[in-house]
Structures are given as C-alpha cells and as structure tokens.
Amino acid sequence: TAYYNMAHALARAGHRVTVLYALGEFCEHRTIEHWQAEYARAGIQFVPLPAQPVRGHSAIKISYAVYRWLAGRTFDIVHCHEWRGIAFYTALAKRQGLCLANAILCVGAHSPVLWHLEGMNELADAEALEVDFMERESVALADVLWSPSGHMLAWMRREGWRLPRRIVRKPYILLDLPPVRTRTAAPGSELVFFGRLETRKGLDLFCDA
C-alpha cells in the first residue's frame, strides 16, 4: 500500500517511475500482463523480477535477483523497504561501487521480521536471524532511511540497529481517499474486531477487553 501510493504520487508529479515487482510472475488476481497495462495507464512501468539461479531461502533469492536487475541500470532514486532484506545485496554492492553509483538508495522502515515476532510473542528460527541481519545491513548501508513511524525508529535504536545519518520521518502517502461521512449511530450490541487474527494486531487485547 505504501509503495503503491508513492509510485502513483511520483508519476502524477511528472517523474518517470518504475516498479520492480519482486514476486516475478506470481499473481493472486489476473495476470502480470493485466497489471503491466494497469500501471502503464498511470504512467508507471511495471517490471516482474526475473529469477536468478542462486541457492538459499526466498529472502536471499529475491534480494540477490533485485541486485542483479538493478546492476547496470541508471536511476536517480531507488526506494525499497527493509522487510526480509530485499535491499541487502543492492546496498552492499552500492557501497562497494558495483551499482547505482549516482543514485540515492532510500530504505523504508516499516516492519522488520524480529519486530513481527516480538509482537506475536514468538521465537526466531535460523532463517529469521539471517533475515534480521540482512534487514539491519540494508538499513545501515542506505543513503537515506525513511520511516512513517517514530515508534519504529525508537524500536530500531533500542534493538541496536545502525541507522544512516540521513533519516526522514514522514507518514504514508494516501491518495484518492473517499470523503468521510459522519453520522450519529444508535448504541450497538455487537463489538467487531477489524484486523488480522493475530496477537500483533491486538486480538488478545481485544478479547481481554
């Protein structure tokens, strides 16, 4: 949602925007061709990420494939999130002078894997610890860190993350929201939990209340 709205806002402002879709040809609804045409109507190039022959779990495969796609291409700014270390190999290669020499790498901090597990009261396995390292390094090696939340920045500092010098705290861009209509409702007899059914989303707290 965050990057969908950012991409459309930048395109509407006259920027040339490319969305690199990290799940390749996978679609929950319709086809890649449909989404390429849909984004093209908004002036956005939508590119499914080509797979790379690399061993490892999904985070390693996707992160390396992202780097390989970006290597040799020229952009002014590259936005990516920290989740599952998607920018790890790109940030590492950029620091070593192997790609994006004249680009700004902006990593967004939204929901690291250990933050997820902490909220769920769950323990980390070996893969989660590897992904945690990839996430931390992608943030530490970024040119700019962006977070919509002061809470997230405080959590990272508490957990010992190395943050870049340039940090931007800005809320999400929300485009095309319908107008809010308020009305006085009669007292209800039913409480509804609106959210994913998990501890991190407040289900336990809701049930306790």
Side-chain angles (χ1 to χ4, degrees):
T1 303
Y3 288 100
Y4 172 88
N5 282 285
M6 179 188 291
H8 282 76
L10 290 172
R12 292 180 189 183
H15 297 281
R16 288 184 298 169
V17 179
T18 300
V19 170
L20 180 61
Y21 177 59
L23 293 182
E25 298 288 331
F26 172 78
C27 290
E28 290 185 357
H29 306 287
R30 300 184 178 174
T31 65
I32 284 294
E33 291 74 21
H34 166 83
W35 295 115
Q36 287 177 316
E38 185 76 12
Y39 276 81
R41 281 191 284 272
I44 299 169
Q45 184 182 15
F46 185 87
V47 179
L49 177 66
Q52 291 289 329
V54 59
R55 302 180 68 176
H57 53 69
S58 63
I60 290 175
K61 292 178 180 178
I62 291 175
S63 182
Y64 184 74
V66 167
Y67 155 63
R68 292 293 298 172
W69 190 87
L70 287 169
R73 288 179 167 84
T74 301
F75 292 96
D76 296 316
I77 302 175
V78 174
H79 286 277
C80 54
H81 54 74
E82 94 299 352
W83 189 60
R84 293 189 62 77
I86 195 170
F88 170 67
Y89 287 108
T90 299
L92 196 62
K94 186 176 187 299
R95 180 60 59 93
Q96 295 172 350
L98 300 176
C99 70
L100 301 177
N102 299 313
I104 295 173
L105 178 62
C106 181
V107 175
H110 307 268
S111 53
V113 63
L114 290 192
W115 179 81
H116 276 272
L117 293 174
E118 180 182 291
M120 297 290 288
N121 295 324
E122 295 178 356
L123 297 175
D125 57 15
E127 179 178 325
L129 295 178
E130 289 181 350
V131 171
D132 173 61
F133 174 79
M134 295 169 67
E135 291 175 343
R136 288 171 181 261
E137 287 298 294
S138 64
V139 167
L141 297 174
D143 298 311
V144 180
L145 173 64
W146 161 56
S147 179
S149 164
H151 155 77
M152 183 55 65
L153 295 173
W155 182 89
M156 287 178 156
R157 291 188 175 102
R158 190 196 79 192
E159 295 299 311
W161 287 52
R162 291 183 295 120
L163 306 186
R165 182 177 58 85
R166 297 171 65 184
I167 299 175
V168 176
R169 188 178 71 182
K170 291 287 185 182
Y172 292 128
I173 298 172
L174 299 176
L175 298 175
D176 305 327
L177 292 178
V180 177
R181 297 179 180 178
T182 59
R183 62 185 180 87
T184 302
S189 58
E190 184 179 27
L191 297 176
V192 177
F193 177 79
F194 182 78
R196 197 179 301 146
L197 302 182
E198 58 185 33
T199 301
R200 186 173 60 90
K201 295 296 185 179
L203 180 61
D204 294 11
L205 180 64
F206 177 81
C207 292
D208 289 343

